[in-house]
Amino acid sequence: MPVGLTPPVAGSLTLIPGIRLGVAQAGVRKANRDDVLVICLPETATVAGVFTQNRFCAAPVQLCRTHLASTAPRALVINTGNANAGTGEDGLARARQVCAALANELGCKEDQILPFSTGVIMESLPADRIISGIPAALANLAEDNWLRAAGAIMTTDIVAKGRTASCQIKGQTVTVTGIAKGSGMIHPNMATMLGYVAIDARVPAGVLQHLLNEVTNESFNRVTVDGDTSTNDSFILMANGRVDAPLVEEIDGADYHALYAAVAEVSVFLAQALARDGEGATKFVTIEVEQGRDRAECVQIAKAIAHSPLVKTALFASDPNLGRILAAIGYAGIDDLDVNKIGLWLGDVEVVRNGGRDPSYVETRAAEVMKREDITMRITLGRGSARDRVWTCDFSYDYVKINAEYRS
C-alpha cells in the first residue's frame, strides 16, 4: 500500500461550479475499467499549463501547447492505457481525430480541445476506441465527479490522488480542487505524471500562468520517484471565471498570495502523493539541503541523493549505509564544494559533522530511523543561507517487478 497516503473518499473533493467531469470505459488497453475522462469548462474559464521538457514529448503534449497558445479551451480529454508518445505524425493525426470528435460533440473548434494521454509508449493510439467512449463520458458529466475522475486517470497507481483546499479572498471562500496520477517514471521537469487543479475564482490567463509556474516549481518539480522524466508530464490549472467569484488580477498582491497558498497546498499534497505511491514504495523520504549558496545547488544535491539506486535500496533495507549519501553529495556536480564543512542528519540523529563521522554517532539509532515509513534527511553545506528540499521514495523488489511486467 502507499506510504502514509489515504485516498480521497466520497464527499472529500469539493466541486468547482461550472467545471463538469465525465468518465467512460472505452477499452483503450484493458476492458471494464474507467480509462477516458472529459472535463468540460464554462466559456468564462481561463486555463494555464506546464508540460514535460523531455524532447521526445508525446503527441498530445505537442497539441496542448499549440492549442493553449491559440485559443480559449472548452474541454480536456484524457485517456489512460496508451501514451501516444514516440508515434510520429501518425500519433499527431490520431490525437487530432480525438480532439475533432469531442469538438463536434460540444459544438466548438478542434483547437479548443486539450488532449492528454498516459500509458505505454510507442504504440498507436486507438483513437476509434476513445472516440467511441466520448458520448458515454459526456452522458455522465457532473460537477461532483472528481472522485471518479481521479480513478480514471490512474495507470500503475495503487490509489487515486485528490485534494481540496480553500482560502478567503475579498470576504469570499475560494475553493481549489485537484487530482493527479503518477507512480513510476516520475521526475517532473516542467516545465506518465498528470495533474489537474481547478479554482472557483476569476483569474486572467496571464496571472494564472504565473501562479502555475510558481506553484509547479515548489511542488511537482520537487518530487522524484526514479529520475525518469516522462514524455507526457502535464499540469493544468483552471479557473472557472464564475461571474460572482472574486477576481485575482494583481500578481504579488494579498489576494494572489492567498490563492497561491491554497493552490500550493493542493499541489504539494499531490506531488508528495506521487512519491508515497511510488511503484513498490515502502518509505517516503524528505531530503532537505541547507546552507547552500543558492537554491539551485541545494536541489541539485538533493536530487543526486534521491536518484541514487544505492541510497534508495539502502532505504528499502532499513540499512544505515549512509556513506552512500556522502558519495551522492560528492558527485552531485558542485565543483567547489568543501566536503569538510558537510553535515548530515538522519531524522534527529547527527551522522556527519565537518565532513566526517560524528564522534557521538551510534548506528543503532540511525537504524531505528531507517525503519520508519516517513524519513527526513538533512544535509548542511556550510556555504551560505539558501535551502531547498526534494521528496522521494525507496526502491523495493516490487519496483523492479512492476516495471518488468508493465506491458504484461
Side-chain angles (χ1 to χ4, degrees):
M1 289 297 293
V3 183
L5 177 62
T6 302
V9 296
S12 65
L13 301 178
T14 304
L15 63 84
I16 305 297
I19 295 182
R20 299 175 297 152
L21 305 93
V23 174
Q25 297 183 354
V28 176
R29 185 167 185 84
K30 296 181 180 179
N32 303 317
R33 64 149 294 172
D34 291 344
D35 55 9
V36 171
L37 168 64
V38 173
I39 304 177
C40 287
L41 308 174
E43 293 185 2
T44 55
T46 51
V47 180
V50 287
F51 304 93
T52 181
Q53 291 185 14
N54 190 317
R55 294 296 300 165
F56 230 122
C57 63
V61 170
Q62 297 175 52
L63 287 186
C64 273
R65 286 172 171 157
T66 301
H67 290 184
L68 263 179
S70 63
T71 188
R74 290 294 310 280
L76 290 66
V77 56
I78 304 106
N79 75 268
T80 61
N82 184 295
N84 195 12
T87 49
E89 288 299 323
D90 179 70
L92 287 167
R94 289 170 183 262
R96 290 191 185 100
Q97 291 172 16
V98 173
C99 290
L102 180 55
N104 183 63
E105 293 282 351
L106 298 179
C108 65
K109 298 178 181 178
E110 179 182 324
D111 62 1
Q112 289 182 292
I113 307 298
L114 302 181
F116 305 85
S117 298
T118 182
V120 179
I121 296 171
M122 282 190 66
E123 292 188 1
S124 294
L125 183 76
D128 54 342
R129 298 181 194 173
I130 298 169
I131 291 169
S132 68
I134 286 175
L138 295 177
N140 64 54
L141 284 172
E143 292 179 346
D144 61 354
N145 224 359
W146 285 92
L147 182 60
R148 189 176 175 191
I153 62 175
M154 293 166 55
T155 48
T156 59
D157 308 57
I158 297 175
V159 298
K161 301 166 183 66
R163 182 78 163 186
T164 288
S166 64
C167 62
Q168 293 294 313
I169 297 178
K170 296 182 172 68
Q172 297 186 54
T173 298
V174 171
T175 301
V176 179
T177 293
I179 58 175
K181 64 81 51 180
S183 184
M185 204 175 190
I186 298 295
H187 179 212
N189 184 20
M190 316 266 256
T192 305
M193 169 258 152
L194 300 177
Y196 306 97
V197 175
I199 305 168
D200 182 18
R202 291 180 292 151
V203 187
V207 176
L208 195 69
Q209 187 66 55
H210 186 273
L211 173 62
L212 179 60
N213 292 343
E214 287 198 324
V215 167
T216 300
N217 198 46
E218 301 301 321
S219 57
F220 290 107
N221 278 357
R222 292 296 184 269
V223 66
T224 179
V225 168
D226 45 27
D228 281 316
T229 298
S230 169
T231 53
N232 294 63
D233 288 341
S234 303
F235 182 27
I236 301 298
L237 186 60
M238 304 163 278
N240 62 0
R242 183 170 57 86
V243 65
D244 295 330
L247 173 64
V248 180
E249 59 180 346
E250 181 182 346
I251 293 174
D252 288 337
D255 293 343
Y256 177 90
H257 287 297
L259 182 58
Y260 172 90
V263 175
E265 178 183 335
V266 171
S267 301
V268 167
F269 175 89
L270 294 174
Q272 292 184 353
L274 303 187
R276 291 185 181 278
D277 194 18
E279 291 168 337
T282 68
K283 310 282 177 64
F284 174 77
V285 186
T286 301
I287 302 172
E288 299 175 345
V289 180
E290 303 173 358
Q291 299 178 13
R293 288 185 181 166
D294 54 44
R295 293 184 66 189
E297 73 174 20
C298 293
V299 172
Q300 187 172 337
I301 288 174
K303 286 188 174 181
I305 298 167
H307 293 160
S308 167
L310 293 178
V311 172
K312 295 167 85 69
T313 50
L315 285 162
F316 172 61
S318 300
D319 177 15
N321 188 355
L322 304 180
R324 295 178 175 184
I325 299 174
L326 295 186
I329 295 170
Y331 64 60
I334 310 300
D335 293 336
D336 61 346
L337 184 66
D338 184 350
V339 296
N340 292 318
K341 294 182 179 180
I342 297 296
L344 168 63
W345 280 259
L346 188 65
D348 59 356
V349 178
E350 187 172 9
V351 178
V352 173
R353 180 185 298 179
N354 297 326
R357 183 183 178 115
D358 178 70
S360 63
Y361 172 65
V362 178
E363 186 170 293
T364 54
R365 292 186 60 210
E368 288 300 316
V369 176
M370 293 284 278
K371 292 176 183 177
R372 300 172 186 168
E373 285 191 341
D374 278 66
I375 298 171
T376 297
M377 297 179 187
R378 184 164 65 92
I379 296 92
T380 56
L381 304 181
R383 292 162 57 85
S385 59
R387 60 190 300 168
D388 217 311
R389 77 281 183 264
V390 165
W391 304 295
T392 192
C393 59
D394 61 338
F395 272 167
S396 70
Y397 302 132
D398 283 342
Y399 179 85
V400 176
K401 185 175 188 294
I402 289 167
N403 282 282
E405 299 176 353
Y406 182 62
R407 297 202 307 163
S408 303

